[in-house]
Amino acid sequence: MPNPVRRTRQREAILAAFDDLPGHPTAEEIHAAVRAALPRISLGTVYRNLEIFVQEGRLRRIAVYGGPARFDCNASPHGHIQCVRCGRVRDVPQSPSPPGALRGARLGGFTILETRHHWLGLCAPCRREERAPSRTGR
Amino acid sequence: MPNPVRRTRQREAILAAFDDLPGHPTAEEIHAAVRAALPRISLGTVYRNLEIFVQEGRLRRIAVYGGPARFDCNASPHGHIQCVRCGRVRDVPQSPSPPGALRGARLGGFTILETRHHWLGLCAPCRREERAPSRTGR
DNA sequence: GTGTCTGCAAAATATTTGCAAATTT
DNA sequence: AAATTTGCAAATATTTTGCAGACAC
């Protein structure tokens, strides 16, 4: 039986980083945070392990509208709202609505694994910017 | 009054390409398709104009779980289901459910612009692969 | 004619991968 | 000791940008 996943300091630190990072960090952000504990950890290691954690189901990759991938450590069912201006993502509690019961069902030829709700919006800082565009805006 | 958007062959061809491309093409796929009509069009031009069309609301950028950005020409409200294995995206008619009425509301500090439904799943070809992994699989 | 738009090439950003050395079991 | 994992660096992949000439109005 091949491929037992080993416990390494790097992997522990990556998962631990989610406690410090609010929201849904990118690989770069996780790398920066983990460096506080393991200064020599490489970005490649972070990417490799994030991918493994996603495969294992310990993390999720979030659906984003452009920009780098973002990761989510929150196991409870929830949706996301993303700012169309700056990309920031925030959790939204997801009611276990009817569609939530669809796991295993067929939809357009696909077998459903998960249902998620998504919103597009403007976060508070960007809302202000849109109203009073500054020289740095858009 | 600055910045009138001009009508160019490149822009027309990019929008026209969506008629030939099923699903939700990436910039590369659009570029390849448009080249049939305009062999010298550059990928940069495609990216630049896709961005403009999104700003104008003529196209949408789709939320994806990794991989290149995908674009959507379908104006009617609908959600997407994406294959976790190959990234393929398919439209799913979206019922004008309660959350659809939220435009303008506040959610977690964000102002909602749009509500979308998302599913993660396995497309038919990938479902087969998962059952009978081939030497090329995963 | 004026200002926008394009193609090209280079830059910037994001992610993956090969490999020798280090680490885990 | 055997096999996986890491750091590093290079390779890929994706997207953006500067600029001179072409094009739309």
Side-chain angles (χ1 to χ4, degrees):
Chain A
M1 177 146 298
N3 199 0
V5 173
R6 294 180 178 180
R7 156 180 292 243
T8 67
R9 271 176 304 156
Q10 288 81 348
R11 297 219 245 260
E12 311 247 286
I14 289 170
L15 288 178
F18 280 84
D19 295 335
D20 303 331
L21 295 166
H24 303 84
T26 63
E28 285 271 357
E29 290 166 348
I30 294 163
H31 182 225
V34 172
R35 271 187 152 170
L38 301 173
R40 315 193 51 90
I41 192 174
S42 76
L43 186 53
T45 295
V46 172
Y47 271 107
R48 261 182 303 231
N49 286 309
L50 288 173
E51 177 60 25
I52 288 171
F53 290 139
V54 169
Q55 297 297 326
E56 291 183 337
R58 302 180 64 162
L59 292 181
R60 291 171 168 186
R61 202 187 294 278
I62 285 182
V64 289
Y65 297 90
R70 288 173 178 274
F71 297 85
D72 184 347
C73 198
N74 183 344
S76 70
H78 63 280
H80 297 114
I81 182 163
Q82 181 168 28
C83 180
V84 297
R85 199 161 176 281
C86 69
R88 205 179 320 236
V89 174
R90 194 176 163 148
D91 279 353
V92 175
Q94 177 166 317
S95 55
S97 50
L102 287 176
R103 189 169 219 284
R106 295 294 169 87
L107 186 57
F110 285 58
T111 301
I112 295 178
L113 295 173
E114 281 185 57
T115 301
R116 300 193 189 168
H117 294 329
H118 264 83
W119 289 271
L120 277 170
L122 272 179
C123 69
C126 286
R127 189 163 55 232
R128 274 178 227 113
E129 275 294 325
E130 292 269 307
R131 279 222 209 77
S134 74
R135 22 276 157 266
T136 56
R138 255 268 186 275
Chain B
M1 176 147 299
N3 198 2
V5 173
R6 294 181 177 178
R7 156 179 292 243
T8 68
R9 270 175 305 155
Q10 287 83 348
R11 288 190 187 145
E12 312 247 286
I14 290 170
L15 287 178
F18 281 84
D19 296 336
D20 303 331
L21 296 167
H24 303 85
T26 63
E28 285 271 357
E29 289 166 348
I30 294 164
H31 183 224
V34 170
R35 270 187 153 171
L38 301 173
R40 316 194 51 91
I41 192 173
S42 75
L43 186 53
T45 295
V46 172
Y47 271 106
R48 261 183 304 231
N49 286 310
L50 287 173
E51 177 61 25
I52 289 171
F53 289 139
V54 169
Q55 297 296 327
E56 292 182 337
R58 303 181 65 162
L59 293 180
R60 290 173 170 184
R61 201 187 296 275
I62 285 182
V64 289
Y65 299 90
R70 287 173 178 275
F71 297 85
D72 184 346
C73 197
N74 183 345
S76 70
H78 63 280
H80 296 114
I81 182 163
Q82 182 168 28
C83 181
V84 298
R85 198 162 175 280
C86 70
R88 204 179 320 236
V89 174
R90 194 175 161 149
D91 281 352
V92 175
Q94 177 167 320
S95 55
S97 52
L102 288 178
R103 187 169 220 285
R106 295 292 170 88
L107 186 57
F110 285 58
T111 302
I112 295 178
L113 295 172
E114 281 185 56
T115 300
R116 300 192 188 171
H117 294 330
H118 262 83
W119 289 271
L120 277 170
L122 273 177
C123 68
C126 287
R127 189 161 55 230
R128 273 179 228 113
E129 276 293 324
E130 293 268 308
R131 277 221 211 79
S134 74
R135 22 272 157 271
T136 55
R138 254 263 187 280

